[in-house]
Each structure stands twice: as structure tokens, then as C-alpha cells.
Amino acid sequence: MSNAAVTAATSSRATAADKSALARLGEAFVGRLVILIPYLWLVFFFLVPFVIVFKISLSQTAIAIPPYTPVLGFGDGLAGFFAQLNELSIDNYTWLTQDALYVNAYVTSVIVAAISTVLTLLVGYPIAYGMARAPAMLRPTLLMLVILPFWTSFLIRVYAWIGILKPEGLLNQLLLATGVVSQPLIILNTYTAIFIGIVYSYLPFMVLPLYSSLEKMDYSLIEAAKDLGCPPTSAFWKITFPLSLPGVIAGCLLVFIPAVGEFVIPDLLGGSQTLMIGKTLWNEFFANRDWPVSSAVAVILLLLLIVPIMLFQRAQARAQEQDK
Amino acid sequence: MNPTWSRFNITSIVLGFAFLYLPIVLLVVFSFNESKLVTVWGGFSTKWYVSLFHNQGLMDATWVTARVAVISATVATLLGTLAALTLTRYTRFKGRTLFSGMVFAPLVMPEVITGLSLLLLFVAVGLDRGFVTVTLAHITLTMCFVAVVVQSRLITFDRSLEEAAMDLGAPPVKTFFQITLPVIMPAIVSGWMLAFTLSLDDLVIASFTSGPGATTLPMKIYSQVRLGVTPEINAACTILIAVVAVGVIIASLANKRREVQRQRDEQAAQRG
């Protein structure tokens, strides 16, 4: 039923006509508020902070509280504003692009995140596929079991791997006892440990979108392919995989984007030998207390991720349209 | 045609779940270890739990974390539900693309960026870092998760129910509270729980936005983990896991009961 019809129905009741006009005004006001409250909150706490980060990335480090030279305030009037405009500098950015450490950290982070994303997809796909093919009665339980680790602390789950991967840890004890290796494997504080950590922590993010697109799939398509003599492997690549592509894309973006800027995993499992940009930003901020440089690091990281983030948002919007 | 559940499918599920759960199980098991070495079994003991309760720093941090989590989850649920309503009900208004961008982007934004930018905001407006700033930061992060959870329920919501209520003369606000809200309530509850656990969990954003006197439990755990793995931390983690697991199980049982009740009502309605 359309809105116009509802309005017509209400206004037909002559006695309530005045009240309904007032009510409509109130309704419009409430509708405005519903939009405005979360909108303003996000503008102030999500959008404005990025502007500030950008602003401070153009300033200089100073021994002061807060530790940077003030930039672009209107405190000194318009003349002061223009005077400060001259003091803005892109020194932090030139420094970042010239210092091999930062360039390395960016490149390594993207590569590590990309490899981890592919590994997570390889591990997650068979799980999601198995879940989608499970008897319908079992599926809610399986789904619950995938979501449950997500509810338990991220930090704790990463921490749990330290005890497993240590040279004298549980994995090495097992491998030595069964005679698979004669020397303990060095896994902790290497990139391998980071891969394991990311795959483990982000696995539910991959499995859930994969499962939801695989579950919707019409299995009679596979039956038809089989009847027409198509071998199972090529049926998978020609039918199942293309149909699960929206899930693959959503899952990969959900893993890749946060993994590039990941801090906890490289810090706890990667040790000092590994280089990733989230850790660099953290150290720049907490150890060196260099706010302008860490802001510049954040701006470049954001620029790197802006395209994947927009892709993610479009994928979300499209999924929402389909659900309607 | 019913899809077949092959041996391959079953194996991949079993291996997958073993991978997901084994580390957590090992962590819990070793929290009951007599030996101080976390990886060598020295007999059953609960002494680490006892020493945990005598660790004042850890207890203080737990108290701070619990308060931050309850307040931020509650505010975030309110804001997130409004955001979800905006996304599903108001398809046309100025700046809608920006709005949906601001709701979805924090879900994937690296935490170091969110943490740093919020800290710089708090410094710029002259807000002292501490309890309030951590809470504000957590509200901002978790309201987006709440919005997504509630939104997915609103999309599948049968709007003819609302229209029926309004045809019968119920004003929109009343319709919302009597029809819409009860239907989306399960999603709002799970949104609150998600917001609560995310806040309970967060290390990076809290580290940036917190100040002296407002050390949260993850910050405390992190600083001790850096010094080495100890059974006491295992015990603290086990308690956290138990709290969350009990909460999730209770919520899902309640959800299931409500679902069964609803189906029964529907069947009764069809018969009647």
C-alpha cells in the first residue's frame, strides 16, 4: 500500500484531520532525527578525524604538548591562517617515500595481506562448501560454530598461537615426538607465523560470505551438468565457482583490507624480524612519539586501501539490493 | 534433488573446526597447569585463578573494561539501530552514499588508522584522554557493526505488518514501537552483544584513545604478553572466553525458543 493511500485514509476521517496534519509534521521531524543523529555522529567521529589526520601529517614534530606545530587554526584570524598556510610542509611525505624502511613496510604489508587472503580462501572454501552441502538440519549449528570463535577475543586467539608455535612449543613437541622433524622448527617470529595468524583469525570472515552465496546455489544445475556428461571438476569451475564469486569477492575484501594494516598479529607472532606498516605506525606513534609522521603513514595507508574499501562498499550495497 | 554430503565435505569441515577450536582448547587446558611453563604439563591446578584474583592491576582493568563495554554497547545499539533504519527506510536523501560509506568503512578500516584519527580528534577538541574517550571511540566503531546486523533483519522484514497497523489508525511512531521494534528485537539484542564483545576485545583503538587510569583488560593482557606467556594470562583468557560463551549460548537458546514459539503461533493462526 502506498504512502498516498495511507494519507488519504487518515485524512478521510474528518474529525482527526487537524491532528493528522500535526502528526505528519511530527512524523517528518522524527524521520529527520532518525537520519540526523547517526549521520552527525559519524561525521564528527569518523570523517572529521581523517581531516585532522591529514592536517597534522602536514605539520612538523615539536617538543610540546601535543607534540606537533599548530597548523591551520582560525585562532589568529584570517591573516594568521594565511601565515600558517605557508608553514605547511610535505616534508613528512617526501621523507616517507625516500626512506626505504617505509616503502618496504608498505610493499611487504600488501604482499603479506594478499598471500594470507589467498591462503584463507583456500582453507575457507572447502569448509564453506561442506557446510552448504550439509543436511539442512545441521546447518544452523555449523554456522554457529563458525561464528563462535569470532565472539572470543581476537587478542586471546592470537596469543594462543604463541604457545603452539614457540621453538619449545606444542607443535614442535608433537613433531619431535612423532619423528617428523629432528630439529625444532623455527616458526614463531617469521612471516609463516603471520600467515598462520591471519588465516586463523580471519577465517570466519571468509567462510560466512562464501557460505551464504554457496547455500543459495541451485544444485540442479550441477545435476544437469553431470547428466550432460560434464566431469565434477569442470562442473565446479564452470558452475559452482562462478556462482560463488560474490562470496569470494566479499570474503577476500573482508580479509585483505584489515590485514594490510594489522598490528596485533605481526607484533605478537612476527616479532622484530618482520616488517609491516601497522606495526611501523604503532612504533612511530608510541615509541618515537612522532605524531606528524604517524599521521602521514596513516594517510598513505588509507590511500592504498581506498579502492578496496570502495569495492567493499559497492559489494555490500549490491548484496543488500539482492536480498530485497 | 538433495545435494549429497560427501566424505570430502565432512573431512574439510572436521579439519576446519579442529583448526578453529584446537588453539582455544589448548589455551584453556594449560590455564589449569600446575607448572609455570605454559607448554609443559605439570598436573592439574587452579592456583593461577587464585593468583589472578589477587592481581589488583588486572582486577581494576577488568572493572574499567566492563564499564566501557556496557556503556558503549548500549549507546552504539541505539545509534546503530537508527543508522540501520536510515539505510533501509530512507532510500533517498542528500548524502546517502556518504552515509552508507561511513557505516561500512569502519568495518574494514585498519584499527591503527581509526585509533590514531580518533586520538587526534580528542586532542584537537581538548578532551582529556581516559574513560570517556575510550567509550566514545568504541561507540563509533561498534555502532557500525550493530547497524549491519539490524539492517539485515530489517531488509527481510514484512512491511505489510506495519501498513496494516497504520491502516488501523496507529500513528507511525506507535507502529514502530508496537510492531517493528518487537520484530527486530532479536537482531538488536545480538547487535548489543556483538558491540559488547568487540569493546571487551579491542586493544588497538583503546591503546590510542585511553589515558592514565583507564587501562582496559586487553591493554593489560597485551603488556603482560609482551613480557612472556604466563599461566595467569591463560586463566584470565579462559574466564573471558567462558563469559562470552555462556552469553552466546544463553542468547541463542532464547532465540531458538522464541522462534519455536513464533512457529507455533503461526500454525495456530493458520488453523484458527
Side-chain angles (χ1 to χ4, degrees):
Chain A
M1 189 171 182
S2 71
N3 260 337
V6 176
T7 322
T10 359
S11 54
S12 69
R13 270 173 250 127
T15 44
D18 290 338
K19 206 182 130 208
S20 84
L22 202 71
R24 268 207 303 283
L25 210 69
E27 182 190 334
F29 178 70
V30 171
R32 199 60 52 85
L33 267 188
V34 166
I35 301 178
L36 267 184
I37 296 172
Y39 205 110
L40 290 181
W41 183 284
L42 285 173
V43 166
F44 188 70
F45 287 103
F46 189 69
L47 212 57
V48 171
F50 285 128
V51 179
I52 299 175
V53 170
F54 185 65
K55 199 181 90 167
I56 289 173
S57 73
L58 297 172
S59 74
Q60 301 288 323
T61 317
I63 300 171
I65 300 170
Y68 53 86
T69 57
V71 275
L72 288 191
F74 286 99
D76 307 327
L78 212 55
F81 178 82
F82 282 114
Q84 285 178 357
L85 207 57
N86 289 325
E87 283 171 31
L88 286 185
S89 80
I90 54 163
D91 283 4
N92 294 319
Y93 290 96
T94 31
W95 195 50
L96 284 188
T97 47
Q98 277 161 6
D99 193 326
L101 174 86
Y102 294 102
V103 179
N104 262 342
Y106 282 115
V107 173
T108 318
S109 301
V110 171
I111 294 173
V112 167
I115 296 176
S116 314
T117 306
V118 173
L119 290 174
T120 316
L121 180 63
L122 290 177
V123 175
Y125 205 101
I127 300 175
Y129 190 71
M131 282 168 63
R133 291 203 136 195
M137 210 180 70
L138 270 178
R139 281 182 215 163
T141 316
L142 292 173
L143 200 60
M144 183 75 199
L145 283 173
V146 173
I147 298 172
L148 206 57
F150 176 73
W151 292 83
T152 57
S153 170
F154 185 74
L155 181 64
I156 292 176
R157 283 182 292 144
V158 175
Y159 164 77
W161 279 95
I162 300 179
I164 298 172
L165 298 178
K166 282 199 302 192
E168 71 280 11
L170 297 165
L171 181 66
N172 274 319
Q173 284 180 27
L174 179 77
L175 291 177
L176 288 170
T178 52
V180 179
V181 293
S182 53
Q183 287 276 312
L185 296 174
I186 304 297
I187 304 176
L188 195 66
N189 298 342
T190 65
Y191 284 105
T192 314
I194 299 183
F195 293 142
I196 294 175
I198 295 180
V199 172
Y200 178 71
S201 313
Y202 287 92
L203 193 58
F205 289 108
M206 181 65 87
V207 172
L208 293 176
L210 280 177
Y211 169 77
S212 76
S213 59
L214 281 168
E215 201 214 4
K216 273 183 249 162
M217 208 182 94
D218 184 358
Y219 277 92
S220 57
L221 290 172
I222 303 277
E223 291 297 317
K226 213 199 268 170
D227 287 350
L228 295 169
C230 184
T233 346
S234 91
F236 174 81
W237 287 113
K238 282 189 173 146
I239 300 167
T240 314
F241 190 74
L243 281 174
S244 67
L245 219 51
V248 173
I249 292 169
C252 285
L253 289 171
L254 273 173
V255 176
F256 177 78
I257 302 169
V260 173
E262 184 54 52
F263 165 73
V264 176
I265 296 171
D267 189 64
L268 290 183
L269 300 179
S272 54
Q273 297 296 308
T274 57
L275 188 66
M276 275 183 82
I277 198 68
K279 221 169 74 179
T280 311
L281 194 158
W282 179 283
N283 289 335
E284 213 49 81
F285 184 85
F286 286 104
N288 300 349
R289 303 197 56 77
D290 193 333
W291 293 20
V293 166
S294 34
S295 301
V297 171
V299 170
I300 296 189
L301 179 56
L302 193 64
L303 287 178
L304 269 180
L305 293 177
I306 203 105
V307 172
I309 288 175
M310 282 165 78
L311 282 175
F312 170 73
Q313 197 214 324
R314 269 185 49 194
Q316 286 285 316
R318 209 175 305 139
Q320 191 190 327
E321 284 305 307
Q322 273 174 1
D323 279 345
K324 277 181 185 167
Chain B
M1 174 73 202
N2 216 13
T4 48
W5 210 30
S6 70
R7 194 170 295 166
F8 171 74
N9 294 151
I10 298 171
T11 317
S12 48
I13 286 185
V14 169
L15 285 179
F17 284 147
F19 176 61
L20 278 177
Y21 282 94
L22 213 54
I24 301 175
V25 172
L26 289 172
L27 180 95
V28 172
V29 168
F30 277 93
S31 74
F32 294 104
N33 191 3
E34 171 73 36
S35 159
K36 191 161 175 58
L37 293 166
V38 181
T39 48
V40 180
W41 186 252
F44 182 85
S45 156
T46 52
K47 67 177 178 188
W48 303 113
Y49 289 87
V50 177
S51 79
L52 189 65
F53 285 103
H54 291 112
N55 185 335
Q56 196 53 45
L58 219 53
M59 292 325 270
D60 288 346
T62 310
W63 178 230
V64 171
T65 311
R67 279 186 304 159
V68 169
V70 168
I71 298 173
S72 65
T74 308
V75 180
T77 305
L78 266 167
L79 288 170
T81 306
L82 290 180
L85 281 167
T86 304
L87 282 176
T88 43
R89 297 293 163 87
Y90 301 96
T91 44
R92 236 161 261 175
F93 63 90
K94 247 190 200 155
R96 188 178 188 280
T97 319
L98 175 68
F99 184 71
S100 75
M102 287 193 300
V103 173
F104 289 120
L107 303 180
V108 286
M109 188 64 70
E111 288 172 315
V112 282
I113 298 184
T114 316
L116 177 70
S117 65
L118 279 166
L119 164 82
L120 295 178
L121 171 80
F122 295 140
V123 171
V125 298
L127 206 55
D128 275 342
R129 280 186 277 164
F131 184 83
V132 175
T133 48
V134 180
T135 311
L136 287 172
H138 281 180
I139 292 170
T140 310
L141 174 76
T142 56
M143 69 173 277
C144 302
F145 285 86
V146 175
V148 170
V149 172
V150 175
Q151 183 207 21
S152 64
R153 182 75 192 89
L154 274 170
I155 287 172
T156 55
F157 179 72
D158 183 4
R159 291 201 73 176
S160 59
L161 284 174
E162 285 178 347
E163 281 156 8
M166 289 204 265
D167 279 356
L168 295 170
V173 175
K174 194 178 175 192
T175 307
F176 175 78
F177 281 105
Q178 301 227 318
I179 308 289
T180 320
L181 198 60
V183 174
I184 63 171
M185 207 51 189
I188 293 180
V189 171
S190 51
W192 188 89
M193 285 186 55
L194 184 61
F196 180 79
T197 48
L198 282 170
S199 165
L200 210 64
D201 217 28
D202 165 66
L203 166 72
V204 176
I205 293 174
S207 300
F208 275 101
T209 54
S210 172
T215 307
T216 65
L217 192 56
M219 287 165 69
K220 196 85 195 164
I221 292 178
Y222 174 72
S223 67
Q224 296 209 359
V225 166
R226 297 217 67 176
L227 301 175
V229 178
T230 68
E232 207 175 275
I233 292 295
N234 278 24
C237 295
T238 304
I239 293 177
L240 260 182
I241 291 172
V243 168
V244 172
V246 168
V248 170
I249 289 168
I250 289 175
S252 68
L253 284 180
N255 225 348
K256 200 163 195 172
R257 232 179 60 190
R258 212 164 20 222
E259 191 67 15
V260 170
Q261 183 65 41
R262 197 179 60 86
Q263 278 172 1
R264 231 176 259 155
D265 289 349
E266 269 175 17
Q267 280 165 4
Q270 272 165 7
R271 273 199 305 271

